[in-house]
Amino acid sequence: MKRILTIQDISCFGKCSLTVALPILSAMGIETVILPTAVLSTHTLFKNFTCKDLSDQLTPITNHWKQEGITFDAIYTGYLGTEEEIDTVIRIIEAFRNENTLVIVDPAMGDNGRLYAAFDEHYAKQNAKLCAVADIADPNITEAAFLTGLPYRETYSEEYIRELLLALAEIGTQTPVLTGVSLSEGKTGAMGYDAEKKEFFHYQNDRVPAAYHGTGDIFSSVLAGAFVLGLSREAALKIAADYTAMTIAETLKNPGNPWYGVDFEKTIPELVKLVENAEALS
Ligand code: PXL
C-alpha cells in the first residue's frame, strides 16, 4: 500500500484541511500519516476561533519517525500558518525525500483576488519557496498571482493561464496545476503544465453554480491521491475535478446545507468507484 504524509492544520470543526485529507486519502486506499501544524477550534472563516500552534512539535515528531525508519511515497502539504512553519516543512521534505518521493504542495493562502486575513505578500513569497521544491503544486488563480507576482485577473484568456503556469514552472515547480480555471461559459476545471515535457494539459467539467469553503482541500487531496496511485496527469485532473463537482452538487441537494464546508462524506462511495475505474483504465 502506498503511504503518504500530509502536513496541515486540524480545524476541529469546519470540514477542511486534515479532516478532509485523511478520510479522502484513506478512501483512495492510501495509508495516510498526518502531521498537524496547529489545532484550531474551527477554520478561520469563523469568528473568534482558537488556535494552538504546534510548530515546536514538528521536528521532534519527524525525528522520531526517522529513528523508526519510517518512509513515505509522497508528502502533501496544505494550509500552513506562518513563514517559520514553511521553513520547517521544507526541511522535513528534504529529510524524507528520495528520488521516488512525490511532493505535492497546495499553497492555500487566498481566493477571489485576495489573501486570507492571516497572510501578507511576504508570506506569499515564502510559500513560493515551498512551491519551488514541489513536483506538483496546485494554486488557484489568486494564489498563483501572489506566488509569481503576475497580476490577478478575474476575466482572462487561455494565454493568461499559460503565462501563470509557465511562471510557476519558472519558480521551480515541476508540474504546476492551476485550479478554478474556466475556459468557456458554464465550464470550470484545471489546467496543468509538465515542465519536463513542456506540455500543457487540462480538464473541464460543467460548473456547478455554487462556491463552498473547503472545496480546494477536496480537490488537492484527490489530486495528491491520484498522483500517488500512479494515475496519468489527465486522469488525476479528471478524478479530482469530477469528485469536487460531485460533492458540490450533493451539498446543493441538502436544503440545510452547511455554509462552512461541503457534504463530501456522502460521495465517498463514488470516489472509491472513480478510483477503481481510473485504475482499471491505466
Ligand atoms: O481550506 C483551507 C483552510 C485550511 N485551514 C484553515 C483555514 C483554511 C481556509 O480558510 O482557515 C485553518
Side-chain angles (χ1 to χ4, degrees):
M1 191 183 280
K2 295 282 186 185
R3 182 187 298 140
I4 192 168
L5 163 64
T6 182
I7 312 177
Q8 31 190 327
D9 69 274
I10 296 182
S11 290
C12 298
F13 185 91
K15 305 202 210 194
C16 68
S17 39
L18 279 183
T19 65
V20 162
L22 180 55
I24 285 183
L25 289 162
S26 300
M28 293 177 82
I30 300 164
E31 179 182 350
T32 306
V33 180
I34 61 167
L35 186 57
T37 53
V39 183
L40 294 85
S41 52
T42 62
H43 59 60
T44 58
L45 294 195
F46 285 82
K47 285 204 180 74
N48 303 325
F49 61 86
T50 69
C51 179
K52 172 72 180 165
D53 184 55
L54 298 177
S55 299
D56 65 352
Q57 293 301 303
L58 305 185
T59 303
I61 291 172
T62 49
N63 282 348
H64 180 213
W65 291 344
K66 270 277 165 209
Q67 285 158 19
E68 290 290 327
I70 296 167
T71 57
F72 306 107
D73 298 295
I75 301 175
Y76 155 42
T77 69
Y79 184 100
L80 302 171
T82 62
E83 291 176 33
E84 298 71 46
E85 208 162 75
I86 291 180
D87 272 336
T88 310
V89 166
I90 292 172
R91 279 202 298 276
I92 293 170
I93 290 170
E94 280 163 0
F96 283 89
R97 185 175 222 173
N98 64 37
E99 67 279 10
N100 298 318
T101 318
L102 259 189
V103 174
I104 304 126
V105 170
D106 176 1
M109 61 181 169
D111 209 355
N112 301 313
R114 299 175 59 178
L115 292 173
Y116 298 135
F119 303 131
D120 58 17
E121 298 213 2
H122 208 263
Y123 180 86
K125 293 253 149 51
Q126 188 73 0
N127 230 347
K129 285 197 208 155
L130 180 57
C131 290
V133 302
D135 294 301
I136 296 139
D138 68 335
N140 58 34
I141 295 174
T142 301
E143 289 157 350
F146 277 98
L147 288 166
T148 59
L150 289 171
Y152 169 76
R153 293 194 209 290
E154 222 150 89
T155 51
Y156 47 79
S157 60
E158 187 170 334
E159 203 185 325
Y160 171 67
I161 299 300
R162 286 174 184 248
E163 199 187 340
L164 283 175
L165 285 166
L166 290 172
L168 288 163
E170 194 65 32
I171 286 174
T173 306
Q174 182 59 44
T175 306
V177 171
L178 263 181
T179 62
V181 172
S182 172
L183 293 178
S184 51
E185 189 73 27
K187 298 271 180 189
T188 189
M191 187 164 186
Y193 176 66
D194 182 329
E196 195 186 342
K197 298 202 172 114
K198 299 196 171 21
E199 287 169 1
F200 291 93
F201 54 102
H202 77 277
Y203 179 73
Q204 301 266 293
N205 54 15
D206 290 338
R207 178 196 291 279
V208 184
Y212 286 106
H213 186 262
T215 49
D217 298 355
I218 289 172
F219 183 95
S220 298
S221 300
V222 179
L223 190 77
F227 274 110
V228 175
L229 291 174
L231 300 186
S232 70
R233 59 198 192 189
E234 287 81 6
L237 280 201
K238 179 170 164 40
I239 192 174
D242 284 349
Y243 181 66
T244 306
M246 208 181 271
T247 64
I248 299 173
E250 187 63 35
T251 309
L252 276 172
K253 279 194 221 158
N254 170 6
N257 58 36
W259 67 267
Y260 52 84
V262 283
D263 291 343
F264 73 95
E265 300 86 343
K266 289 208 176 130
T267 46
I268 290 265
E270 299 305 318
L271 176 61
V272 175
K273 283 185 211 149
L274 286 175
V275 171
E276 279 168 4
N277 291 342
E279 282 190 313
L281 286 175
S282 70

